[in-house]
Amino acid sequence: MSAIIRMNNVIKTYAMKDTPVYALRGISFSIEQGEYVSIMGPSGSGKSTCMNMIGCLDRPSGGTVEINGKNTADMTEAQLAELRNRTVGFVFQQYHLLPAMTVLENVMLPLRYQGIDRRERKERAQAALERMGLQNRLSHLPHELSGGQKQRVAIARATVTNPHIILADEPTGALDTETGEQVLALFSEINSRGTTIIVVTHNPEIGERTPRCIHILDGKIEQDTNRV
C-alpha cells in the first residue's frame, strides 16, 4: 500500500475581528490506499475542516496536504476541481440530490463533468444504482424516496466515477439505526474492492466500527487508533 493522503503539520485559521481562530493546530497523518478510516470528534473539534482539506474544498493556512502525491497548495482552482471530480466521491448527511432530476440523472451528473458521452453515462449510472439495489427507482424523483434510498443514491453518485477516495460526512446522521447499519455495510463492501473510505462523524459507535479511527479535539489529534 502507499499513502493516498498526507497531512503534514496542517494549520487552518480563520480571521474573526482581527483575531485568528484556529480550526486545525498542526495536524499530521497519512492514509494508505484502501484504508477504511473514521475521523471523529465533537462539534467544533476541527473534523469538518479536516474533511474540507482532504476533499480539496479548502486550503491550509500552513503545512501541506497531499492527495495522490500532489501538493494541493501548488494547484489552481481548476486543477483542484479536476482532482475532486476524478479522485474523491462525496457522500453527505443531507444527500444533496438535485430535486428536479430523476435518480438516474442525479447519478449521471458527475460523469457529465468528466466529458463522458450520454450513452456511457447512462450505462454506468444504471450499473451503480443496480449495485445499490435501486434498479426499480431509476425514474423516481428524490422526494419519492425514503431516507435510506436517498443515501444509497448518493453513494451510487459518489462511486460512479470510480474514485480513489469516498469521503462521507455524517452519512448515517439522518437515518434510523437499521438503515444506518445498511449504509455502513455498503461502505465496507465498497472498501473491500480497494476504495479508500473516510467517514467523518461525531458518533463514537461509528468510530469503533472502522478499522482505524483518528480522534480530533480542539484542532489536534487526540488519538489515532488502528485496530488492524
Side-chain angles (χ1 to χ4, degrees):
M1 293 192 298
S2 59
I4 191 169
I5 297 159
R6 292 186 189 276
M7 306 267 285
N8 183 32
N9 197 29
V10 174
I11 297 168
K12 183 62 181 181
T13 60
Y14 298 96
M16 186 173 291
K17 294 183 178 179
D18 299 324
T19 302
V21 175
Y22 282 82
L24 296 178
R25 298 172 180 268
I27 281 185
S28 297
F29 62 81
S30 296
I31 294 177
E32 305 296 320
Q33 175 66 49
E35 278 199 84
Y36 185 3
V37 182
S38 58
I39 297 177
M40 189 179 73
S43 178
S45 62
K47 66 183 186 298
S48 294
T49 304
C50 190
M51 178 197 74
N52 289 341
M53 298 295 167
I54 295 170
C56 303
L57 298 171
D58 201 354
R59 297 177 188 263
S61 305
T64 58
V65 179
E66 293 183 14
I67 308 296
N68 259 350
K70 299 175 181 177
N71 186 346
T72 59
D74 297 333
M75 303 177 76
T76 66
E77 291 300 324
Q79 289 171 330
L80 286 174
E82 177 76 4
L83 183 64
R84 279 195 301 271
N85 189 247
R86 296 190 178 276
T87 305
V88 185
F90 293 92
V91 179
F92 299 101
Q93 179 177 348
Q94 298 301 331
Y95 324 121
H96 290 192
L97 302 177
L98 297 177
M101 286 187 170
T102 66
V103 164
L104 182 61
E105 289 168 340
N106 265 282
V107 178
M108 289 170 63
L109 192 59
L111 298 172
R112 182 178 179 182
Y113 297 142
Q114 291 188 353
I116 294 171
D117 67 73
R118 181 175 175 78
R119 180 177 178 178
E120 184 178 347
R121 293 202 305 267
K122 186 175 181 180
E123 289 175 353
R124 287 174 60 173
Q126 286 177 330
L129 287 161
E130 286 173 8
R131 288 194 294 270
M132 295 297 115
L134 293 167
Q135 59 270 20
N136 297 323
R137 297 289 187 271
L138 303 185
S139 61
H140 285 59
L141 293 171
H143 77 267
E144 299 174 305
L145 306 178
S146 68
Q149 288 171 334
K150 290 177 184 176
Q151 194 59 295
R152 279 187 283 157
V153 174
I155 294 170
R157 183 181 58 188
T159 58
V160 75
T161 58
N162 298 318
H164 298 129
I165 302 164
I166 297 292
L167 193 55
D169 184 18
E170 302 283 6
T172 64
L175 305 175
D176 60 67
T177 301
E178 182 180 355
T179 307
E181 288 288 331
Q182 293 170 359
V183 167
L184 292 175
L186 283 171
F187 284 141
S188 292
E189 180 184 335
I190 295 165
N191 175 249
S192 71
R193 298 196 291 267
T195 304
T196 305
I197 306 285
I198 302 168
V199 177
V200 179
T201 183
H202 72 280
N203 189 338
E205 292 182 6
I206 295 176
E208 291 172 1
R209 292 277 299 274
T210 59
R212 181 182 176 192
C213 179
I214 300 171
H215 190 184
I216 295 178
L217 187 65
D218 297 329
K220 297 180 180 180
I221 294 178
E222 185 179 56
Q223 192 172 13
D224 188 343
T225 305
N226 197 331
R227 302 179 183 89
V228 176

